[in-house]
Amino acid sequence: MASPLTTLPRPTFAAPGAGSAGSPLREHYDAVRRQTEHLCAPLQTEDYVVSSMPDVSPTKWHLAHTSWFFETFVLATHDASYRSPDERYAFLFNSYYVQAGERHCRAQRGLVTRPTVEQVFAYRAHVDAAMRRLIDRVGDDRAHPAHPLITLGLHHEQQHQELLLQDIKHVFWTNPMRPTYRERTPTPQRVTESRWHAVEEGVHRIGTDGEGFAYDNEGPSHRVFVEPFRLATRLVTNGEYLAFMEDGGYQHPELWLSAGLATVQEHGWASPMYWERTDEGWTEFTLAGTAPVDLSAPVCHVSYYEADAYARWAGHRLPTEAEWEVAARGVRIEGPFVEAERYHPSPASVSAEGLSQLYGDVWQWTSSAYVAYPGFVAAPGAIGEYNGKWMADQWVLRGASCATPRSHARLTYRNFFPSDARWQFGGIRLASGA
Amino acid sequence: MASPLTTLPRPTFAAPGAGSAGSPLREHYDAVRRQTEHLCAPLQTEDYVVSSMPDVSPTKWHLAHTSWFFETFVLATHDASYRSPDERYAFLFNSYYVQAGERHCRAQRGLVTRPTVEQVFAYRAHVDAAMRRLIDRVGDDRAHPAHPLITLGLHHEQQHQELLLQDIKHVFWTNPMRPTYRERTPTPQRVTESRWHAVEEGVHRIGTDGEGFAYDNEGPSHRVFVEPFRLATRLVTNGEYLAFMEDGGYQHPELWLSAGLATVQEHGWASPMYWERTDEGWTEFTLAGTAPVDLSAPVCHVSYYEADAYARWAGHRLPTEAEWEVAARGVRIEGPFVEAERYHPSPASVSAEGLSQLYGDVWQWTSSAYVAYPGFVAAPGAIGEYNGKWMADQWVLRGASCATPRSHARLTYRNFFPSDARWQFGGIRLASGA
Amino acid sequence: MASPLTTLPRPTFAAPGAGSAGSPLREHYDAVRRQTEHLCAPLQTEDYVVSSMPDVSPTKWHLAHTSWFFETFVLATHDASYRSPDERYAFLFNSYYVQAGERHCRAQRGLVTRPTVEQVFAYRAHVDAAMRRLIDRVGDDRAHPAHPLITLGLHHEQQHQELLLQDIKHVFWTNPMRPTYRERTPTPQRVTESRWHAVEEGVHRIGTDGEGFAYDNEGPSHRVFVEPFRLATRLVTNGEYLAFMEDGGYQHPELWLSAGLATVQEHGWASPMYWERTDEGWTEFTLAGTAPVDLSAPVCHVSYYEADAYARWAGHRLPTEAEWEVAARGVRIEGPFVEAERYHPSPASVSAEGLSQLYGDVWQWTSSAYVAYPGFVAAPGAIGEYNGKWMADQWVLRGASCATPRSHARLTYRNFFPSDARWQFGGIRLASGA
Amino acid sequence: MASPLTTLPRPTFAAPGAGSAGSPLREHYDAVRRQTEHLCAPLQTEDYVVSSMPDVSPTKWHLAHTSWFFETFVLATHDASYRSPDERYAFLFNSYYVQAGERHCRAQRGLVTRPTVEQVFAYRAHVDAAMRRLIDRVGDDRAHPAHPLITLGLHHEQQHQELLLQDIKHVFWTNPMRPTYRERTPTPQRVTESRWHAVEEGVHRIGTDGEGFAYDNEGPSHRVFVEPFRLATRLVTNGEYLAFMEDGGYQHPELWLSAGLATVQEHGWASPMYWERTDEGWTEFTLAGTAPVDLSAPVCHVSYYEADAYARWAGHRLPTEAEWEVAARGVRIEGPFVEAERYHPSPASVSAEGLSQLYGDVWQWTSSAYVAYPGFVAAPGAIGEYNGKWMADQWVLRGASCATPRSHARLTYRNFFPSDARWQFGGIRLASGA
């Protein structure tokens, strides 16, 4: 264990609010990069290494890949003097950008013990130094072509902050020791009654209007006709979902898509992911360890199949993404997100009026398949692979979750997962005909 | 081989136009049932038995399953005296209707040698006799509740007529002997130039209006907003697709969906299904045997991935199903279909003006995922499993193919297949922004 | 169904004893070939086509492959004028002889509908005609090099006669209709008590001595030292095996090899293959249909894992192949075998003294792995692939079964199957230390 | 990273020769346990965690499992006051002893990040303290029932020392960074010519005679008849194996077992494991990193299939285990083994006369399947699962390798691996008829 690197200090995991000198872009950069490392503070070295299923990447990989992104899409073009600390990193930490060169097999990400965690942090520091030099050089020039790429890189990194949390949760779950990420003291709340928010029929414009940052898949802005509909003012709770379970929801074929029923039977699903039945009732594994299921909190870690079956059981349906966006337009994004150390969906507060829990609790499955908006064309080159090439066999989720950085949430965000994915923070909001 | 059944006559495979006495429903019934058996005329006993891949059902099974459908959804309710010739048939020939009872594993359909082909034809005759008695009893009473179920059963059977053809084609292809289903003499044609059919933006109503038969998934009728667009007047040809291949289409990652690229690489796809490269150029396996690829004929047996990649390469895109339906409204369905012994897509005729090749050549992939129309609710009971439970991870195809019975084609028809399916008669029609 | 071949007569399935003119070799040839076809008499055309699992070959394939063997290893060398009816047959009907050219994938044998059954019988007749001409030419010249190859081909065909029966049994079992191959009237018998046949220690010579036909793997003859041991005078019965089951035999890990326990758990094994528990007790599927388990008959269709676990439970062990052969030397092979229409193991007769049931009931698992005898070298060329290349991860079974032609059984025969194979007619004879 | 455990010292990785007070058993215990930890000295924390394939266990697991062995089979019975530091360790670190209780799935061993490496070392220290107390209490009483179990535990741990090395080699190989375990300076040598060591025919006694430690599978001692044979005086070298490769050895089907050929083709094997072809010739990955293949060193990391094919190509064969043992009887075990920091097979020294390289370079594949010796009965209880339950579908390897502790090697040792295993240090010694 006499590694030369063990004498190097790990990052201090400073809180993201810590001071940063310079341009707004520099402050943005520093805050986001610090926050990623801050999320690692509770981890042991061993925790960074493993991948508990093919969908899950090691923490170490998230830390490195987000740095590779800046290296590849910003520094390679805008800093001729930049040198990578190890040329093999480009191979190891490219996720899926075919046009950016050969890459390591995703299934083997969890088998790579070197570079060590220390070396990965050193890699981050190396990239940070170069990025800060670049930002200090171009930071005030908003027209500089590096600007949008740096901003994209920061949103990319925020997306990985959520992935890091949902992945480490699964790593801990896989371990019979069931480690705890961070302690918390739950504060039970009374949940408000769900009401319907009605929207008139009409032609609406959805998608990004070009103000503020958005991914390419959120545009172009375009018109849709929406028949009259109603959207539930809050999310479906664990208590409501438990009623579905106790009514034999998982056993009634007529409630399920065919592939959903096959998945339920193949995996023996009988509850949301992370739930376990004990002698004292249902428990839920969380980033704070195992706890009794909070019946007032939104149900989380359900697949599209389960969301769809629940909605059918309830006599309603899931909203389309257009319905969600039309209804949510104008609602302010607020509340304590990841920066404030919350990683658990919470009950709708008693004072909630109008639509609540849109952002900050769970992503909400829609009945819209993830396909291109009319007129969408992916950007040329490797960066165009970010979103476009995934437009098959996935569903759009809207809103944001308790693990989403607040500054990363927005009205037009199109998150997407396949029908059977459950390890992300995904839940249910009902819709209904007019 | 001294089977007692070999002395029973096989059906005479009369042409479907042969006389049938009685009500229009009786004539309809007789014509459809006869046509199914007529399609079997070129087959040897051995051909009826096997399943060459999990998607393919044995001919014997198609013959029996379509009879089971009448037995289960019509006779069981409307003919108290009806008895099945063998109670185990209900288990063997239920395809996927969970609510209609236990069923044989799909993967084992091709392993069942008994009932023999003779016995299956006898089963059909048994069902036919009961059905004809029932129809003669209720045929003139259009309000009788059996009426819509019988009509549904006939459309179901017509759907299986196409499946039977696409399945036996695959069975023959799997055999190194490459048997021929039916000889033909191809008549090469000059293909017309493709033009654009332009449609203005606006709110349109799509889906079945309740006139004439439609499946449940074709409704409810509802409004959509369609941005201005253009639809190609004819299908993409083999010649055009070959240009894509020769331009390295299968090798350029930027043209492909991520899952599409993985599929191409996993299976080594380098051309449409059934194509083979020989010293004399590309050949295509058809129901008439192996023949040189007809460059003027529509490309067929491509997956969604390939259709999507081709469209991107061509600088255009696939139409949505709404665009297809809006553009195709008013075009008459005509031309020689299965009843006239054609099982090959043909070049657009030189006289074609306006939209051509909508029906009767190849199903046309759309960029619309197969999801429920607003307000769709599946029928109660097992019959509700017909369409609704497949609404995930599939794409809508529109039009009709050379294997579709003419009387089964219609404007609002929503055929659907997963992204990688190629053994059906599926091809490409391009669309473009206005 | 208007196949030109349907007018051709199927073979008359004459009993094998029917007259045959000519040399002893010609009589031998005719008898074996006739017997193969005689075994097909109860089958329908559909039964010939399918393969119910990768280990099982279609009847049609057995019929053709045994003919291909003569074509490839005899006619190709010794009849310059011979022409195959179809050159593709060499590809379709080569089982595994890599040096004899490319061959069809084993997993696809059951997907090939053409050549039809009629055509395969015509293929046999074509080969028979050429073979008879050849035999009539060389039949009296025992030194002619074709002689040993023809004899090998006949033993090969007899081996396939047993495979044909064990395979069609599995095909019928796979079918929920559970067809019957041939009716029988079981005659229950009282089983004799099992005793021990003791053998002294010593150096013994085992393996073929060159008298009479033997496969290459039965030699060279060589010496082995055998510690003193005892061999059970009869086979383990169904009744005894049932006692093992009822004592929780399948649930006690300490009785099982590790891979055996994993296999038992993966497949849910709780009895021999073909057994089913009903309200009236255990039944067994046989070539005569489903019948109550005959407690006095030898247990059959058990894997090596089960034979080994049973022996451990009984406080004994399986014999080595050397022990089996040393003990069995001198015992006459007799009794009604396949030629006499028996396909079921029978209880040891009450008059049995000394070793009984060595041949004609079930193959007997030994504790000897199937490896080469000292000095074994495979023959050069493709024919050398017959036995030698299988010498890994299999066990030797000795004796013969109720499906083995009597003239194919012999003292030194080394049958072999992997640890988990159960569809062959395999059972248990116990051994013990002195 | 503020783990409370990071302040605990890791073991000092003292050399195994360091002093130890007390009885010979205590010295033995201390030396073996220290050596295991000494082998970990070059590793980073991350290296301890992963499993690069199902056969490979994490270093962390080896460290814990060997301690669990003492806990379960010694302390549980002989120290009533002993308490495990965590009751869940019994679940996590039981390898395969079904009778010792439920156990963690082998496939998930590499997914468990906690207990951390520090905690595992603490676990070892905890077990060591209890074991030392026990040994100090019973050490002089050789008749105490704990004695043989402690000795078994130490041999078990030495076996895992070799597994640890062969596993970490694979972990490093899987990593594109190709880390180095320990540097070395290879000293090329001239290899001696191989000669034949002849042995007369006769009855010999093999297996343990009860003197000194042996595993249960090495007995009972029993007699075998061995035909006259010759054994090569040294191992097959890389240079000789390369000649086989260059002669198309991997392409000639007649050299291969059928399953071997399938394995070669499925995995694309064209050389021993860890070899790579570069522009400068063949290289080999070793625990000292990648180096040119030393043509004079023994070939290593070949499967049984390759050993068998090589022997056939060379016109010889592999020895049986009886032949190996009969020939090797009387040869002294000496030479620098693991304790002396060698982990690489070396050329036979020029002075070699008689049989050389029996122990200390590579395990030698025999043609003997791993089955029970006559009269073998596994010990009752979980400890009986150590060897007996693996007696199917494996081959015996004899001798010892460069990674085997010298004090763990012995004449009668029966190592065993399946036909396709290559990651162990396994090579080839030829045999021949007299």
Side-chain angles (χ1 to χ4, degrees), chain B residues 388-399:
Chain B
K389 75 179 186 182
W390 306 107
M391 291 175 170
D393 303 336
Q394 313 223 38
W395 300 95
V396 173
L397 297 95
R398 288 302 198 104

Side-chain angles (χ1 to χ4, degrees), chain A residues 130-392:
Chain A
M131 282 298 298
R132 286 181 184 130
R133 281 193 304 273
L134 176 67
I135 291 171
D136 290 348
R137 183 153 55 83
V138 308
D140 292 333
D141 176 10
R142 309 246 350 181
H144 191 282
H147 248 277
L149 292 168
I150 295 170
T151 304
L152 177 63
L154 293 172
H155 277 277
H156 172 259
E157 179 137 354
Q158 287 189 298
Q159 202 171 346
H160 275 275
Q161 287 168 5
E162 175 155 1
L163 293 174
L164 186 156
L165 288 168
Q166 73 188 46
D167 285 358
I168 202 70
K169 182 172 181 177
H170 192 268
V171 168
F172 282 178
W173 162 257
T174 303
N175 189 337
M177 309 292 285
R178 295 284 159 80
T180 294
Y181 173 72
R182 227 168 227 167
E183 302 289 348
R184 85 189 263 245
T185 311
T187 51
Q189 275 184 267
R190 217 166 52 91
V191 65
T192 57
E193 194 183 347
S194 189
R195 296 205 179 77
W196 292 110
H197 174 82
V199 177
E200 296 296 308
E201 73 177 52
V203 173
H204 297 271
R205 186 165 281 279
I206 65 166
T208 180
D209 59 3
E211 292 295 307
F213 175 82
Y215 287 136
D216 59 354
N217 64 358
E218 299 168 44
S221 164
H222 63 285
R223 288 163 291 179
V224 294
F225 182 87
V226 177
E227 301 274 356
F229 71 99
R230 297 177 301 166
L231 196 66
T233 52
R234 65 155 171 78
L235 300 169
V236 170
T237 65
N238 283 325
E240 288 162 344
Y241 196 84
L242 187 58
F244 161 73
M245 287 162 55
E246 291 176 345
D247 193 40
Y250 281 89
Q251 284 83 52
H252 289 306
E254 69 273 18
L255 298 174
W256 294 85
L257 288 165
S258 180
L261 190 62
T263 303
V264 161
Q265 291 172 345
E266 180 187 348
H267 299 295
W269 287 356
S271 71
M273 195 179 188
Y274 295 130
W275 286 35
E276 288 179 294
R277 191 199 290 275
T278 71
D279 290 345
E280 284 78 41
W282 287 99
T283 62
E284 184 182 13
F285 180 73
T286 75
L287 284 167
T290 300
V293 166
D294 177 353
L295 297 181
S296 65
V299 68
C300 187
H301 297 298
V302 290
S303 64
Y304 177 82
Y305 294 134
E306 289 160 301
D308 173 72
Y310 174 85
R312 192 168 292 113
W313 172 81
H316 302 297
R317 61 175 173 84
L318 302 177
T320 65
E321 64 168 324
E323 289 172 340
W324 195 98
E325 184 171 328
V326 166
R329 187 177 305 282
V331 178
R332 225 182 114 210
I333 300 177
E334 57 184 9
F337 292 151
V338 157
E339 289 89 340
E341 314 281 295
R342 191 164 78 86
Y343 316 105
H344 310 272
S346 291
S349 80
V350 284
S351 64
E353 289 187 8
L355 292 175
S356 69
Q357 298 182 306
L358 288 170
Y359 310 94
D361 290 292
V362 295
W363 291 96
Q364 293 137 65
W365 287 106
T366 74
S367 65
S368 295
Y370 177 53
V371 295
Y373 279 169
F376 169 78
V377 178
I383 203 76
E385 297 181 41
Y386 198 119
N387 284 303
K389 74 180 187 181
W390 306 107
M391 291 175 170

Side-chain angles (χ1 to χ4, degrees), chain D residues 296-314:
Chain D
S296 65
V299 68
C300 188
H301 298 298
V302 290
S303 63
Y304 176 81
Y305 294 134
E306 289 160 301
D308 173 73
Y310 175 84
R312 192 167 291 112
W313 172 82

Side-chain angles (χ1 to χ4, degrees), chain B residues 180-383:
Chain B
T180 294
Y181 173 73
R182 227 168 227 165
E183 302 289 347
R184 86 189 265 245
T185 309
T187 50
Q189 275 185 267
R190 217 166 51 92
V191 66
T192 58
E193 195 183 345
S194 190
R195 297 206 179 77
W196 291 110
H197 175 82
V199 177
E200 298 295 309
E201 73 177 52
V203 172
H204 297 270
R205 185 165 282 278
I206 66 166
T208 180
D209 59 4
E211 291 295 307
F213 175 81
Y215 288 135
D216 58 354
N217 65 357
E218 298 169 43
S221 164
H222 62 286
R223 288 162 290 178
V224 293
F225 183 87
V226 177
E227 301 275 356
F229 72 99
R230 297 176 301 166
L231 196 66
T233 53
R234 65 155 171 80
L235 300 169
V236 170
T237 64
N238 285 324
E240 288 162 345
Y241 195 83
L242 188 57
F244 161 73
M245 288 162 55
E246 291 176 346
D247 193 40
Y250 281 90
Q251 283 83 51
H252 290 306
E254 68 272 19
L255 297 174
W256 294 84
L257 288 165
S258 180
L261 190 62
T263 302
V264 161
Q265 291 172 346
E266 180 187 348
H267 299 296
W269 287 355
S271 71
M273 194 178 189
Y274 296 131
W275 286 35
E276 289 178 293
R277 191 199 291 274
T278 71
D279 290 344
E280 284 78 42
W282 287 99
T283 63
E284 184 182 14
F285 180 73
T286 75
L287 284 167
T290 300
V293 166
D294 178 354
L295 297 180
S296 65
V299 68
C300 188
H301 298 300
V302 290
S303 64
Y304 177 81
Y305 294 134
E306 289 161 300
D308 172 73
Y310 175 85
R312 192 167 292 113
W313 172 82
H316 301 296
R317 60 176 175 85
L318 302 177
T320 65
E321 65 167 324
E323 289 172 341
W324 195 98
E325 184 171 329
V326 165
R329 189 177 303 282
V331 178
R332 225 181 116 209
I333 300 178
E334 57 185 7
F337 292 152
V338 157
E339 289 89 341
E341 313 280 296
R342 191 165 76 86
Y343 316 105
H344 309 272
S346 291
S349 81
V350 286
S351 63
E353 291 186 7
L355 291 175
S356 70
Q357 298 182 306
L358 288 169
Y359 312 93
D361 290 293
V362 295
W363 291 97
Q364 293 138 64
W365 287 106
T366 75
S367 64
S368 296
Y370 177 53
V371 296
Y373 279 169
F376 169 78
V377 178
I383 202 75

